[in-house]
Structures are given as C-alpha cells and as structure tokens.
Amino acid sequence: MSADQSGVRVMLVDNEPERAAMVCEALTSEGYQVVGQRSSTRGLVAAVAQEEPDVVIIDMDSPDRDTLESMSALNEHAPRPVVFFASDDSDSYTIQQAVNAGVSAYIVDGLEQHRVKPIVDVAVARFEAFQSLRHQLEETRTALEDRKDIERAKGLVMKQQNCSEDEAFHSMRKLAMDRNQKLSDVARQLIEALDGGEGAGSPEAMDD
C-alpha cells in the first residue's frame, strides 16, 4: 500500500454515533475513504466481502467474546489490517486475545484525530509483513510436503520396477513433462496408483 492514502478504503465499527462521526471526520481529513460504518462486528465477514475495505478500524470500550470471534473469522476468511482502539484500560490477557484474533494494532486510551494516520500506517505495515512471513512459511511447508511425496513415489517406483534411484526419478520426470504437470502432482498420482492397491505395472502405464 503506497504512502498516499487517497483511495484507501476503511470500514469503521463503532457503537457510539458521536465518536464514530469524529473518527470518520479524522479519516476523511487524512485522505481515507470510509466505505462502511457499523455499530457492531456482527456480520463483519460478510460486510467486508461486500465492501472490500483495505483496513478495518474498530473503536469500542474493549473486545467482547462476539467481537473476538468476528475478528478471528475475518482473519481466517478475508484477512486485512485491523486496528482496535480501546476506550477502557485493557489487561494483557485481553490484548493478547485480540492479537491472536488478528488485530494488527491494539491502541489503549481511545482514538485521537492526530493519531489516526500514523497508527493505521503502522498497522498496515505490520499486517503486510506478517502476511509475507505467513506466505513464506506456507511455501516452505508445501515444498517440504512435495519433497516427501516425491521421495515416497520414487521409492515405490524403484520397488515396483526394480530400478535405481536415478532411473526412477528420470521416469517420474519424463511422465511429468509428458503430462505437463508438476513433479509433485505426478508423485501423488503414483503414490495413489502404486500404494493404493491398484498395482499399476509402471509409471508409463498410468497413461493408458
């Protein structure tokens, strides 16, 4: 997200109309576009799916159980930066629960107009860094699973064909190229065919 905040879409959740009006004014004055305003987090996931905000700002005394559940659902199904402004003093357990539910920034003492932009900027940066890390971890996990499947399939081909490791790998790679598929996908198909009781005679027989 660029440093220019024009066009950045914000959804606001605030159960106090006067305070919500002040927050909307603060956001608008900083160049944000308020695309939705709600009095509670009920139906938040559906509202986010409809309005597609870039950032969600929640301003209330403290997060109750329903709010935490809504934020958890949002973090699972439609993750985006969430800033929570708490009007009441919050204990460390409440703050930790909010962070675990997907809050990017938890601000105690409520919202003041001059603090809106720097806080949102930090929340967005923190969210993007976390999403990047999660994506890297997911890629690493997928690569490890792919490698395990390839090794398992290679062992099955070696046993079935009584061939060397290099020959088994060459056979699998050729099949992947012929099918225009990833080697890991072919490996999983071979595992199902050779270790699933079907007893295919060779990797090439899978093309029959």
Side-chain angles (χ1 to χ4, degrees):
M1 194 174 294
S2 64
D4 180 9
Q5 300 303 326
S6 60
V8 174
R9 299 163 61 84
V10 176
M11 175 169 287
L12 174 64
V13 180
D14 196 322
N15 57 3
E16 293 188 10
E18 291 185 5
R19 184 176 60 192
M22 184 275 290
V23 176
C24 282
E25 181 181 351
L27 291 169
T28 302
S29 67
E30 293 292 350
Y32 295 95
Q33 180 184 359
V34 179
V35 297
Q37 186 174 332
R38 305 174 61 80
S39 61
S40 77
T41 57
R42 291 183 180 179
L44 182 61
V45 175
V48 166
Q50 180 177 351
E51 302 293 345
E52 298 184 342
D54 300 306
V55 181
V56 175
I57 293 179
I58 303 174
D59 191 15
M60 57 180 57
D61 292 340
S62 62
D64 55 23
R65 186 180 65 181
D66 290 341
T67 298
L68 291 170
E69 290 178 354
S70 295
M71 290 189 297
S72 294
L74 180 65
N75 189 45
E76 179 179 356
H77 299 290
R80 61 243 300 128
V82 176
V83 181
F84 195 102
F85 289 96
S87 301
D88 292 343
D89 291 338
S90 302
D91 57 36
S92 58
Y93 178 72
T94 299
I95 295 174
Q96 186 61 51
Q97 280 188 308
V99 171
N100 290 341
V103 170
S104 304
Y106 192 103
I107 312 301
V108 182
D109 296 331
L111 187 152
E112 297 179 8
Q113 184 165 346
H114 70 279
R115 302 170 68 194
V116 172
K117 184 179 184 301
I119 287 173
V120 171
D121 287 348
V122 169
V124 170
R126 186 177 299 170
F127 171 82
E128 291 177 347
F130 178 77
Q131 289 298 107
S132 177
L133 177 60
R134 186 161 72 172
H135 181 67
Q136 292 175 20
L137 290 173
E138 184 61 31
E139 285 186 336
T140 300
R141 186 181 301 112
T142 299
L144 289 172
E145 291 174 353
D146 287 349
R147 186 178 303 175
K148 287 170 60 178
D149 287 338
I150 290 170
E151 290 298 315
R152 182 181 174 192
K154 186 167 58 177
L156 291 170
V157 172
M158 290 169 62
K159 180 179 179 181
Q160 188 81 4
Q161 299 299 310
N162 192 25
C163 62
S164 68
E165 181 177 353
D166 286 344
E167 290 171 334
F169 183 77
H170 176 76
S171 179
M172 291 169 56
R173 187 172 60 181
K174 182 178 183 302
L175 184 58
M177 292 175 62
D178 290 344
R179 291 183 167 190
N180 194 27
Q181 291 182 324
K182 293 169 56 178
L183 184 60
S184 57
D185 290 337
V186 168
R188 282 184 276 273
Q189 294 166 11
L190 284 168
I191 291 171
E192 182 178 356
L194 299 179
D195 202 32
E198 297 181 16
S202 68
E204 291 79 3
M206 294 177 61
D207 286 330
D208 294 339

